[in-house]
Amino acid sequence: MRIVAADTGGALLTEDYEPVGLIATAAVLVERPYRTATLSRARYADPFNYDMSGRQAIRDEALLAVELARETKPDVVHLDSTIGGIEVRKLDEPTIEALTITDRGKEVWRDLVKDLQPLAKKLWEETGIEIIAIGKSSVPVRMAEIYSGLYTAKWAIEYARENGKATVGLPRYMKVEIRPGKIYGESLDPREGGLFGEINAETEGIGWELYPNPLVRRYMVLEVWRE
């Protein structure tokens, strides 16, 4: 099975490790044996002007996933929203009301469905590809989360080149290494079977340090500076 998935992750942090806003949405094509991505693509947000309610992340993920799905023709698209694996094209007001999620979550989906339901329906009608709101149980969604961390590191490098330094928080349970011409990342959760990813990047003239976030367990902080 070939699966496209998308997720948003990585945050610009203040000196006190408080999140300013999210940075990178990543879409990935994942194929057997499902340990890394065959293809990836990213879109960057402005962390200084970011809607942290969840609306922006899910909307950005759906748009980027559809873009990659039209290019790669997967069997299915997975989105990072845990609402029971429902086909997004079938979401309507009664379905949303019946979801076992918080009232705030229902409010977010009532707003999102205006854009995403027609998007999913059009993709299905034209290609037969379903968009499934499956959430964190999906390995491809986790892979997209790891790649969002890789692209967050790439964003941090570019930000540090212009501004001298960047401090970002990576998605949960992952680490990165900045290597010559590349950024490598992998899951720190031994139960996930060795998930990893790598992207190309211009890394010359950059110093970096990775360490645990002192305020939030399971999350690592990446500091990058211009040398």
Side-chain angles (χ1 to χ4, degrees), residues 44 46 48 60 73 78 82 109 138 163 174 203 211-213:
Y44 296 108
D46 175 6
F48 297 101
D60 288 348
K73 303 297 188 293
H78 287 181
T82 308
W109 268 106
S138 162
N163 299 279
M174 75 166 291
T203 60
Y211 55 89
N213 187 320

Side-chain angles (χ1 to χ4, degrees), residues 74-227:
D75 297 295
V76 68
V77 173
H78 287 181
L79 290 187
D80 180 27
S81 183
T82 308
I83 56 174
I86 295 172
E87 295 96 337
V88 174
R89 69 182 173 91
K90 297 180 181 178
L91 278 176
D92 54 21
E93 179 65 31
T95 306
I96 292 170
E97 187 58 36
L99 294 174
T100 55
I101 58 176
T102 64
D103 289 342
R104 179 179 170 277
K106 291 178 182 179
E107 180 184 341
V108 168
W109 268 106
R110 286 190 191 99
D111 182 38
L112 286 170
V113 76
K114 300 169 189 174
D115 297 327
L116 300 194
Q117 196 263 2
L119 181 75
K121 186 176 180 181
K122 184 177 181 182
L123 181 69
W124 180 78
E125 290 175 344
E126 294 178 354
T127 67
I129 300 169
E130 290 279 16
I131 300 178
I132 308 294
I134 189 171
K136 299 293 186 189
S137 64
S138 162
V139 168
V141 165
R142 172 59 170 155
M143 187 58 58
E145 184 177 41
I146 288 171
Y147 269 79
S148 74
L150 294 176
Y151 284 107
T152 292
K154 187 173 184 177
W155 181 94
I157 289 172
E158 297 306 316
Y159 186 89
R161 286 192 199 283
E162 294 182 10
N163 299 279
K165 181 182 177 181
T167 302
V168 297
L170 298 177
R172 63 197 173 95
Y173 283 127
M174 75 166 291
K175 70 173 184 178
V176 298
E177 297 175 10
I178 298 178
R179 300 173 176 177
K182 295 182 182 298
I183 303 172
Y184 172 83
E186 64 182 37
S187 168
L188 290 173
D189 189 338
R191 301 167 297 181
E192 290 188 329
L195 304 182
F196 70 96
E198 189 174 72
I199 61 173
N200 294 325
E202 177 53 58
T203 60
E204 188 175 353
I206 288 294
W208 63 281
E209 183 180 10
L210 185 72
Y211 55 89
N213 187 320
L215 303 184
V216 190
R217 290 177 56 217
R218 302 185 297 274
Y219 290 83
M220 303 295 283
V221 173
L222 175 68
E223 286 192 15
V224 181
W225 59 88
R226 183 178 61 218
E227 290 187 329

Side-chain angles (χ1 to χ4, degrees), residues 20-22 45-59 104 111:
V20 176
L22 300 183
D46 175 6
F48 297 101
N49 184 29
Y50 196 89
D51 175 8
M52 296 291 280
S53 71
R55 290 174 175 83
Q56 181 174 345
I58 297 173
R59 188 176 285 113
R104 179 179 170 277
D111 182 38

